[in-house]
């Protein structure tokens, strides 16, 4: 059963999103931040091998869309950039503990805009909320009164990926469907 979205003739859909995927060094730094967030806020820590930064969530789409999505992604010419994660946050409305970046570098905003154009060209629904770069470290967190002092974590992005998500009770499983370089 799918809550919403597109179905193909076989009645199947796939849940997709574009993301930045950390390299081993960045993943190690994020693993440390995850342990810290979990110690602070409890909840369900993100599995280390699934840590990522979402660029554009696409939702449930027909599998036939994957090939045109990959072709359009391959046509994107966006610059590489460095993103500074400068604070730990805990959002009460959805109980998510995350690392946040208060500044969105121009090339990241341009990449997100390009992905929006790709999504719209394929007839997917538009993103109404403004883009807020964040990395989810724990879910069902118990947010306290204060978050820890800022600790800067720099992520240099050199490529982006298209990911398929399969929702499970123990946390989503992800499968990379494509990877494209930033310039
Ligand atoms: P779970 O939903 O089981 O907790 P998850 O959120 O990691 O796991 P998905 O719901 O498939 O898995 O989401 C994939 C990525 O897209 C995550 O980074 C998630 O934060 C983000 N995402 C999900 N829904 C939206 C949405 N409506 N708008 C923006 N980003 C979203
Ligand atoms: Mg989710």
């Amino acid at each position: 059963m799918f809550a919403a979205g597109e179905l193909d003739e076989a009645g199947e859909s796939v849940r997709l999103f574009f993301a930045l995927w950390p390299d081993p060094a960045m993943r190690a730094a994020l693993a440390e931040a995850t342990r810290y967030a979990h110690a602070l806020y409890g909840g369900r820590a993100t599995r280390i091998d699934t840590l990522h930064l979402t660029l554009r969530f696409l939702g449930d789409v027909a599998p036939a869309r994957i090939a045109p999505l990959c072709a359009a992604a391959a046509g994107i010419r966006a610059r590489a950039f460095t993103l500074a994660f400068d604070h730990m946050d805990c959002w009460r409305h959805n109980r998510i503990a995350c690392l946040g970046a208060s500044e969105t570098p121009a090339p990241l905003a341009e990449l997100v805009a390009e992905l929006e154009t790709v999504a719209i060209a394929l007839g997917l629904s538009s993103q109404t909320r403004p883009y807020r770069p964040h990395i989810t470290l724990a879910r069902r967190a118990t947010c306290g009164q204060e978050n820890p002092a800022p600790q800067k974590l720099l992520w240099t992005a050199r490529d982006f990926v298209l990911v398929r998500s399969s929702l499970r009770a123990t946390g989503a499983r992800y499968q990379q469907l494509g990877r494209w370089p930033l310039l």
Side-chain angles (χ1 to χ4, degrees), residues 143-160:
C143 303
Q145 295 302 311
E146 281 181 37
N147 295 315
Q151 197 187 12
K152 218 172 208 178
L153 222 165
L154 299 177
W155 183 341
T156 298
R158 296 187 179 86
D159 51 25
F160 67 100

Side-chain angles (χ1 to χ4, degrees), residues 15 57 139 167 172:
R15 186 173 173 93
F57 180 72
R139 294 167 192 282
L167 298 182

Side-chain angles (χ1 to χ4, degrees), residues 15 17 44 52-54 57 96 127 129 134 136 139 165-168 171-172 174:
R15 186 173 173 93
F17 62 103
R44 189 185 87 208
H52 66 275
L53 174 80
T54 296
F57 180 72
I96 278 179
Q127 179 60 265
R129 287 184 289 179
H134 68 276
T136 298
R139 294 167 192 282
S165 169
S166 308
L167 298 182
R168 315 254 170 103
Y174 302 135

Side-chain angles (χ1 to χ4, degrees), residues 19-146:
L20 298 182
W21 220 254
D23 66 12
M26 188 64 201
R27 185 173 299 288
L30 293 175
E32 186 146 336
T34 302
R35 284 190 287 272
Y36 189 45
H38 189 241
L40 273 173
Y41 306 116
R44 189 185 87 208
T46 303
R47 288 210 337 263
I48 301 308
D49 61 310
T50 66
L51 285 161
H52 66 275
L53 174 80
T54 296
L55 295 168
R56 179 37 155 108
F57 180 72
L58 300 169
D60 291 334
V61 305
R65 303 259 180 184
I66 294 174
L69 269 172
C70 289
I76 290 179
R77 298 280 171 268
R79 288 175 289 152
F81 55 86
T82 296
L83 186 56
F85 289 92
D86 52 12
H87 60 276
M88 184 86 86
D89 233 340
C90 193
W91 295 340
R92 287 166 197 283
H93 69 283
N94 55 9
R95 302 186 63 191
I96 278 179
C98 60
L99 272 181
S102 24
E103 298 208 359
T104 302
L108 170 57
E110 286 158 23
L111 175 59
V112 169
E114 293 265 4
L115 294 173
E116 186 64 23
T117 304
V118 164
I120 300 305
L122 279 156
L124 303 179
S125 54
S126 58
Q127 179 60 265
T128 47
R129 287 184 289 179
Y131 181 67
R132 276 171 92 178
H134 68 276
I135 301 171
T136 298
L137 303 180
R139 294 167 192 282
R140 297 188 212 131
T142 304
C143 303
Q145 295 302 311
E146 281 181 37

